[in-house]
């Protein structure tokens, strides 16, 4: 299974798909024996396992979630939108590199601009896919294998090109990753978890 959220905060916030720290820690503590790196879940879809993924690169992922998970030796993945780096409320390039150098953390692609498919001209999606991968690899020195669609949205152009650059791509649609749902590598499901969906998400996980 794949767990997806955006923010982890000790205070009120207006970020969609965010969790407060109490709820986040409850999930981690409840399922910590099953949490593995993202690539392990993708490789073995039948195994009872959970991967933690974050989208965008919000600052609280570095300041709140990272210390908590690092102290407990729990792996996680951050899908970074490159144009968000070094802007207010998001991680800096240096913070991304610090996490990338930690064996517990995997930095993967969320595109460059985070624009939605209907906001992009023909050909721009292919550029987003290839350039975001190349730039993250150049910065971190690590292979980028996975892509998460911005806002979980995609179109035919995304589906046409995504596997030219990545091994798998992740939607935001809920559901458990298993043999059947994992057959389409272009649209692997993740369970979206935020304060509003928390109770239902726990039942799914």
């Amino acid at each position: 299974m794949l767990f997806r959220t955006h923010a982890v905060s000790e205070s009120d916030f207006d970020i969609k798909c965010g969790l407060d720290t109490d709820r986040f820690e409850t999930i981690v503590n409840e399922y910590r024996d099953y949490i593995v790196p993202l690539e392990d879940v993708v490789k073995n879809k039948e195994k009872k396992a959970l991967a933690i993924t974050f989208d965008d690169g919000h600052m609280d992922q570095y300041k709140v979630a990272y210390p908590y998970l690092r102290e407990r030796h729990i792996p996680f993945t951050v899908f970074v939108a490159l144009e968000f780096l070094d802007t207010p409320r998001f991680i800096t390039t240096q913070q991304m590199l610090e996490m990338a150098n930690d064996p517990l953390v995997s930095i993967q692609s969320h595109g460059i601009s985070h624009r939605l498919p209907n906001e992009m001209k023909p050909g721009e999606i292919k550029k987003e896919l290839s350039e975001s991968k190349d730039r993250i690899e150049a910065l971190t020195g690590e292979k980028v294998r996975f892509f998460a669609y911005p806002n979980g949205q995609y179109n035919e152009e995304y589906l046409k090109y995504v596997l030219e650059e990545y091994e798998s791509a992740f939607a935001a649609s809920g559901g458990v990753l298993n043999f059947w749902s994992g057959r389409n590598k272009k649209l692997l499901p993740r369970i979206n978890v935020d304060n509003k969906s928390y109770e239902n998400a726990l039942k799914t996980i």
Side-chain angles (χ1 to χ4, degrees):
M1 286 176 279
L2 304 175
F3 165 110
R4 172 214 186 217
T5 195
H6 284 66
V8 179
S9 177
E10 296 174 344
S11 59
D12 292 336
F13 51 83
D14 59 0
I15 301 173
K16 292 181 180 180
C17 305
L19 279 169
D20 62 48
T21 52
D22 287 343
R23 290 185 173 95
F24 177 72
E25 291 173 9
T26 295
I27 291 176
V28 171
N29 290 329
E30 181 74 20
Y31 299 99
R32 64 179 300 171
D33 292 340
Y34 302 102
I35 299 174
V36 299
L38 175 61
E39 62 184 51
D40 290 2
V41 175
V42 175
K43 284 180 181 178
N44 190 351
K45 302 176 182 65
E46 298 303 307
K47 181 180 179 181
K48 184 177 181 180
L50 178 68
I52 296 175
T53 69
F54 297 100
D55 285 0
D56 298 346
H58 292 282
M59 179 60 75
D60 60 277
Q61 295 167 12
Y62 174 80
K63 288 189 173 181
V64 181
Y66 179 38
Y68 182 83
L69 295 171
R70 179 180 57 198
E71 182 179 344
R72 290 156 180 79
H73 305 286
I74 294 173
F76 65 96
T77 295
V78 180
F79 288 101
V80 173
L82 286 169
E83 287 190 355
F84 290 170
L85 290 173
D86 305 305
T87 64
R89 298 179 69 178
F90 292 92
I91 59 174
T92 66
T93 299
Q94 188 57 44
Q95 289 165 340
M96 181 188 74
L97 295 179
E98 179 185 337
M99 289 193 290
N101 287 327
D102 189 327
L104 291 171
V105 187
S106 172
I107 303 295
Q108 301 295 315
S109 176
H110 202 37
I112 297 173
S113 65
H114 203 275
R115 286 181 294 167
L116 304 182
N118 62 3
E119 299 172 343
M120 302 172 71
K121 298 176 182 177
E124 287 185 322
I125 284 176
K126 184 174 174 62
K127 182 179 179 181
E128 286 267 327
L129 290 167
S130 61
E131 288 195 6
S132 59
K133 176 178 182 288
D134 292 344
R135 284 170 58 181
I136 294 173
E137 289 181 343
L139 285 167
T140 66
E142 299 292 336
K143 179 72 173 175
V144 175
R145 301 165 54 194
F146 305 120
F147 182 81
Y149 299 107
N151 276 26
Q153 297 185 24
Y154 53 88
N155 60 7
E156 289 302 317
E157 191 173 1
Y158 262 125
L159 298 179
K160 179 179 179 181
Y161 294 116
V162 69
L163 292 189
E164 290 184 4
E165 303 292 341
Y166 302 91
E167 294 178 18
S168 303
F170 301 88
S173 57
V176 175
L177 179 64
N178 54 34
F179 174 78
W180 295 106
S181 63
R183 295 176 72 182
N184 186 352
K185 293 183 179 181
K186 301 176 183 179
L187 292 172
L188 298 184
R190 290 188 292 169
I191 299 170
N192 188 64
V193 188
D194 56 25
N195 284 337
K196 291 182 180 179
S197 65
Y198 173 76
E199 296 295 338
N200 287 332
L202 280 183
K203 297 174 185 177
T204 305
I205 295 173

